Amino acid sequence: MLEVSGVTKSFGGLVAVDDVSFSIGDAEIVGLIGPNGAGKTTLFNTITGVDPPSDGSVTFDGASIAGRKPNKICRRGVVRTFQIVRTFDESTVLENVRTGAVFGSSRDRSTDEATEHAREAIEFVGLGAEAETPASELTMAQRKHVELARALACDPELLLLDEIGSGLTPTEIEELTDTIERIRDERGISVFWIEHVVDAIMGTTDRLLVLNEGSLIAEGEPAAIREDERVLEAYLGGAV
Ligand SMILES: Nc1ncnc2c1ncn2[C@@H]1O[C@H](COP(=O)(O)OP(=O)(O)OP(=O)(O)O)[C@@H](O)[C@H]1O
Ligand SMILES: [Mg+2]
């Protein structure tokens, strides 16, 4: 479904993403790990149109999306969450998620249909009881579920998650992980998931990609990646 080929992104003299190629298939959960500054978020930005690639191609369902506007890419079904939570804090959970249904989806919905669609996404992530609560009154873990619900309301085929587990307790991460597995299992949505620390996504991902200084240095099953010399070296024996 997603084909990334030879993607490079430079900022002046700095090559943040260096000739990266990989693909993601239907209903797959793929993890992207790597140390701080490895280029993970930049790679997401090249796919989602926030920072178009300097070189290389990105195709989704056979059509080129490199260099297209973020809103166009989102409506084609490539939807992301951000490393820093971006909820509208003055707005309720329902209002937050409705923006996804109204602006992020390619489907035409009436006002009532958009509201219904948003409610359904809120139920799916387990926040049904908080639909009318302002986002500012939620815990960090709940706000991350709001982001997931908003992304779901955009009708994604591929969901890109940028460190959605960071700042959460192990129990909270487990809940989030369960929701993400259900997104794949029940909706058939593919997930491309960045985490800095591999433990959070070890059990959930089918495959891991490892980025270091802009380059893909390893790709494979999580258990094998954990033992990979180049990966251990990249993290300098740190919290892999
Ligand atoms: N807009 C930009 N302009 C200039 N340099 C940038 C820009 N965005 C990212 N960079 C640089 O590109 C490199 C990769 O950054 P990026 O944010 O992609 O890393 P990351 O793997 O997501 O790191 P982290 O784990 O800390 O989130 C860094 O050196 C960063 O300073
Ligand atoms: Mg990042």
Side-chain angles (χ1 to χ4, degrees), residues 2-232:
L2 181 76
E3 294 277 348
V4 171
S5 180
V7 162
T8 295
K9 179 69 192 179
S10 314
F11 298 105
L14 175 85
V15 184
V17 173
D18 191 0
D19 194 17
V20 167
S21 303
F22 64 92
S23 58
I24 294 179
D26 290 339
E28 219 188 349
I29 303 184
V30 178
L32 175 63
I33 63 166
N36 287 123
K40 304 180 297 294
T41 298
T42 304
L43 181 59
F44 265 28
N45 289 345
T46 65
I47 297 168
T48 54
V50 174
D51 264 327
S54 316
D55 203 1
S57 69
V58 184
T59 61
F60 183 67
D61 287 345
S64 171
I65 56 169
R68 289 185 182 269
K69 294 255 155 51
N71 60 337
K72 292 262 163 56
I73 293 174
C74 180
R75 286 191 198 136
R76 269 176 177 263
V78 180
V79 180
R80 76 180 296 177
T81 64
F82 288 88
Q83 188 162 352
I84 299 180
V85 186
R86 293 189 179 182
T87 42
F88 304 112
D89 291 341
E90 310 292 303
S91 308
T92 65
V93 168
L94 181 60
E95 287 161 351
N96 266 279
V97 176
R98 250 187 115 260
T99 59
V102 173
F103 299 110
S105 173
S106 61
R107 304 197 197 161
D108 264 331
R109 291 191 173 92
S110 68
T111 308
D112 285 353
E113 284 166 349
T115 303
E116 189 47 42
H117 187 59
R119 277 195 191 280
E120 194 266 337
I122 292 166
E123 290 287 341
F124 187 89
V125 303
L127 280 180
E130 308 295 342
E132 309 301 335
T133 307
S136 58
E137 290 176 20
L138 302 178
T139 65
M140 179 56 70
Q142 287 174 319
R143 286 163 68 189
K144 295 203 173 197
H145 280 88
V146 173
E147 291 231 318
L148 269 186
R150 186 169 56 199
L152 278 181
C154 298
D155 301 304
E157 286 177 49
L158 172 64
L159 194 55
L160 282 73
L161 309 174
D162 194 349
E163 298 203 24
I164 195 161
S166 71
L168 302 187
T169 67
T171 313
E172 289 169 339
I173 289 182
E174 224 167 278
E175 276 173 20
L176 194 69
T177 301
D178 283 350
T179 307
I180 291 163
E181 283 178 349
R182 282 176 46 238
I183 287 174
R184 188 268 299 276
D185 295 344
E186 296 175 24
R187 308 253 158 139
I189 295 169
S190 302
V191 179
F192 190 27
W193 185 356
I194 296 177
E195 285 296 337
H196 181 66
V197 178
V198 68
D199 274 345
I201 55 175
M202 270 293 285
T204 312
T205 43
D206 302 312
R207 196 150 56 85
L208 287 181
L209 306 178
V210 188
L211 206 56
N212 187 42
E213 295 176 357
S215 300
L216 265 191
I217 59 165
E219 174 174 359
E221 288 184 10
I225 290 294
R226 246 196 145 162
E227 309 291 314
D228 189 292
E229 290 286 331
R230 285 161 304 172
V231 178
L232 294 171

